[in-house]
Amino acid sequence: MRATLLSLFFINALALPLSTFAQQRQPEQNGRAVELPASPVGRVVGALLKTLNDADASAQLDFIRANFSERMLEETPPDAWLTFFRKLRQQSGGIDVMLVSPDSNERFLVLDVRSRRGNHWARMFFSLARGGDAATAQKFSNVGIFGIRDPQLERADAWSQSKMPEADTLKEIKRHAERLAAEDRFSGVVLVARGERVVLQEAYGMAEKSFGVPNRVDTKFNLGSMNKMFTSVAIAQLVERGKLSFQDTLAKVLPEYPNRQAAEKITVHHLLTHTSGLGDFFDNPQFRPHRERYVKPADYFPLFAAETLRFEPGARFGYSNAGFVVLGAIVERVSGQSYFDYVREHIYRPAGMTDSDSYELTEVVPNLAVGYARFQDDPMGIDPRRSNVAFLPWRGSPAGGGYASAPDLLKFARALGAHKLLSAQMTELVTGAKVSMTGSPRAGAKYGYGFASEMLANAKEIRGHSGGGANSGVNSSLLMFWDGSYTVVVTGNYDAPAAENLAHKICDFLARQ
């Protein structure tokens, strides 16, 4: 899982394949609500929606207790579910089912729903428990909801499938960015370079809404997990200097790591490819209330080092922010510098990145965008966006949370391509595909060392990284066509997947040109 600020209401969704939510939609029936299927899950969902729309709090609580599995109620207590559903009812005025996904079956149901107040859409998904007695088999094992675009707007916003001259290509990209900004679905910067030429560079939305300060093309945005690229390059530089090896164990390169048993199994390769078995730290209840404690990489160790590994190192892919924090500590141990000083001196400076750094939360930084989030209690995007400052870490880490401008990210891409940061052989080794990214919404995506890789139309390969998450007010993306034809940067200060979706759609479009 990326460094997102998911609530308990959404954690159950993570057990479901993301590809389920990327299916083609079918038009709703002339804008009218549709019937639910007469399946086991359809009957229980129908009762839930009727309860949500029409019942009082007491009846809603009784329904939750009777129809949610024990595991769900252990993870999220009944009163918390009640608060969530009451808020949803208050915001929406009730919801109507507009589409039943063809992927639904007897025990799994995906719906597109619309609010009765306004025109807000969301996707809801439900599954029934398996095993146990007959009563247990009729209870929910997963319930989730997240906002989506109005399908009518989405259908009207299809990207051109035609090849076109450069001027028309740029008009098509601008048309989509402008539409998303006009619908308040994107705020940030879109930058496209063709070879060495910047052919498009436009800013949209507000960097600071309270004072009406617009985004500029050089505004600094929170990068989320994009900092992982810088961490992996730092490690690779130290490998090239003979200071360590990708096959070194954590026990060898960081003997002070608190969990010796895990350290003897985990290699630098495992950490870089998210195959170490380490997990996260954002979900640790100690993290956010005491965020000022976590500044240096080693400060984070008490949040995860004592935990049992999620799987044996090398067994599979499992996205790990903890693993990249450990890599930052390795950079410090091997280089003798703080992680932040090392990145400034050996990555930002040679690349010419003057608008990039990891700032502390209370620093006054000119031209820094405030993140704006739809928080977990507003999945349909009905309430006004709110500043994400209360939810940010005290400072970015080797796993993410630093800041950069779109032009600086282009400078990084160019320095990487010109081999100013790593040799040609090492650049290929670091950025090239190594392991399948299980659970990625982009079919076929693979992960290298801090970079993701994907094949597009016409055998075009893109490499790079995105960062941010739902309910975070953070989302940006750097995608490099590996043949050097295009570089796409989309930075933003709204929740994921606003910026990364736009970046990927731009790349899909350019790959066909």
Side-chain angles (χ1 to χ4, degrees):
M1 187 176 69
R2 291 187 185 176
T4 60
L5 305 175
L6 296 173
S7 77
L8 291 173
F9 302 121
F10 291 84
I11 287 174
N12 289 315
L14 300 179
L16 302 174
L18 288 175
S19 58
T20 300
F21 312 128
Q23 304 296 329
Q24 286 284 346
R25 291 195 195 136
Q26 298 176 356
E28 62 275 7
Q29 298 178 0
N30 300 317
R32 296 192 299 269
V34 301
E35 296 290 328
L36 289 171
S39 61
V41 67
R43 288 190 288 271
V44 186
V45 170
L48 182 147
L49 295 179
K50 181 174 176 55
T51 302
L52 186 153
N53 286 335
D54 303 328
D56 61 21
S58 177
Q60 289 178 346
L61 189 58
D62 288 343
F63 180 90
I64 291 166
R65 287 170 173 160
N67 293 280
F68 284 38
S69 67
E70 290 184 9
R71 180 184 61 81
M72 289 182 66
L73 296 181
E74 286 175 0
E75 294 176 350
T76 307
D79 287 346
W81 281 108
L82 176 63
T83 299
F84 174 69
F85 284 126
R86 296 294 292 174
K87 179 70 179 290
L88 180 60
R89 172 67 175 82
Q90 179 185 20
Q91 291 171 322
S92 66
I95 56 176
D96 292 316
V97 177
M98 307 307 294
L99 172 69
V100 177
S101 169
D103 295 313
S104 302
N105 56 42
E106 292 288 294
R107 308 191 65 77
F108 178 61
L109 188 59
V110 181
L111 308 173
D112 283 3
V113 301
R114 184 176 66 189
S115 66
R116 292 177 179 174
R117 182 182 301 125
N119 185 41
H120 302 276
W121 289 74
R123 182 157 297 162
M124 300 187 76
F125 49 91
F126 310 86
S127 61
L128 297 185
R130 295 186 179 276
D133 56 27
T136 299
Q138 301 303 312
K139 294 184 177 183
F140 290 119
S141 61
N142 279 291
V143 174
I145 178 172
F146 58 91
I148 58 175
R149 292 186 76 192
D150 179 339
Q152 187 173 2
L153 291 174
E154 190 166 286
R155 287 193 296 275
D157 202 27
W159 287 71
S160 172
Q161 300 296 307
S162 303
K163 288 191 175 183
M164 52 185 66
E166 181 179 285
D168 292 336
T169 298
L170 301 179
K171 286 180 182 177
E172 179 71 354
I173 294 171
K174 289 175 67 174
R175 179 175 75 87
H176 286 272
E178 288 168 358
R179 182 162 188 159
L180 290 171
E183 296 172 13
D184 196 36
R185 293 184 177 273
F186 173 67
S187 172
V189 172
V190 176
L191 185 156
V192 178
R194 186 172 187 177
E196 293 300 310
R197 292 186 299 122
V198 174
V199 294
L200 176 64
Q201 191 171 211
E202 299 284 346
Y204 305 89
M206 293 290 166
E208 210 294 330
K209 291 179 181 287
S210 297
F211 294 96
V213 179
N215 283 316
R216 304 182 342 200
V217 294
D218 62 346
T219 294
K220 306 175 187 72
F221 292 88
N222 193 308
L223 299 180
S225 286
M226 292 175 68
N227 285 93
K228 290 181 173 67
M229 294 185 291
F230 308 145
T231 301
S232 68
V233 169
I235 289 288
Q237 288 175 342
L238 295 169
V239 170
E240 285 198 310
R241 293 171 194 154
K243 301 291 187 180
L244 75 159
S245 159
F246 292 123
Q247 300 309 317
D248 282 344
T249 65
L250 179 53
K252 178 180 178 180
V253 295
L254 198 67
E256 65 268 28
Y257 186 73
N259 188 332
R260 183 73 182 184
Q261 184 178 8
E264 290 175 346
K265 298 179 181 180
I266 296 170
T267 65
V268 175
H269 167 87
H270 293 145
L271 294 168
L272 286 165
T273 55
H274 297 288
T275 58
S276 67
L278 291 174
D280 215 322
F281 51 81
F282 284 98
D283 53 356
N284 188 304
Q286 293 299 310
F287 176 60
R288 209 154 302 282
H290 307 291
R291 54 187 173 170
E292 72 281 357
R293 298 177 183 174
Y294 307 105
V295 179
K296 298 180 296 184
D299 295 340
Y300 289 80
F301 290 175
L303 296 173
F304 59 81
E307 294 179 357
T308 302
L309 294 177
R310 293 185 292 171
F311 50 84
E312 282 298 302
R316 62 179 177 86
F317 178 88
Y319 198 89
S320 174
N321 287 303
F324 268 76
V325 165
V326 173
L327 287 167
I330 293 172
V331 170
E332 293 193 333
R333 181 71 155 76
V334 174
S335 71
Q337 292 181 273
S338 79
Y339 170 81
F340 304 106
D341 287 344
Y342 183 94
V343 170
R344 282 193 210 100
E345 181 177 339
H346 297 278
I347 297 175
Y348 296 158
R349 188 177 300 164
M353 300 167 66
T354 56
D355 286 326
S356 303
D357 211 335
S358 292
Y359 308 109
E360 291 191 356
L361 194 59
T362 53
E363 281 189 65
V364 177
V365 181
N367 200 20
L368 191 80
V370 174
Y372 292 97
R374 302 280 199 196
F375 290 131
Q376 58 267 17
D377 59 354
D378 184 26
M380 298 186 78
I382 295 172
D383 287 348
R385 298 179 191 272
R386 290 173 281 175
S387 166
N388 69 348
V389 172
F391 293 86
L392 292 174
W394 188 256
R395 188 181 194 180
S397 76
Y403 287 79
S405 66
D408 263 18
L409 292 172
L410 177 61
K411 290 176 183 178
F412 171 73
R414 287 176 168 171
L416 196 67
H419 312 304
K420 293 181 180 180
L421 303 177
L422 298 168
S423 68
Q425 181 179 4
M426 184 62 78
T427 300
E428 182 62 31
L429 177 64
V430 168
T431 61
K434 293 175 178 58
V435 296
S436 294
M437 294 176 65
T438 306
S440 171
R442 300 286 295 184
K446 294 188 176 181
Y447 207 83
Y449 286 164
F451 289 78
S453 170
E454 183 185 349
M455 297 301 298
L456 305 180
N458 297 320
K460 297 286 189 178
E461 183 185 11
I462 54 172
R463 299 181 186 180
H465 213 291
S466 298
N471 316 122
S472 70
V474 175
N475 196 213
S476 295
S477 190
L478 165 64
L479 300 173
M480 301 168 283
F481 280 69
W482 210 240
D483 62 2
S485 55
Y486 290 101
T487 304
V488 175
V489 182
V490 181
T491 50
N493 55 334
Y494 279 3
D495 299 332
E500 63 186 284
N501 268 3
L502 179 56
H504 278 286
K505 287 181 178 179
I506 292 171
C507 288
D508 288 336
F509 172 64
L510 292 175
R512 297 192 299 269
Q513 298 305 306

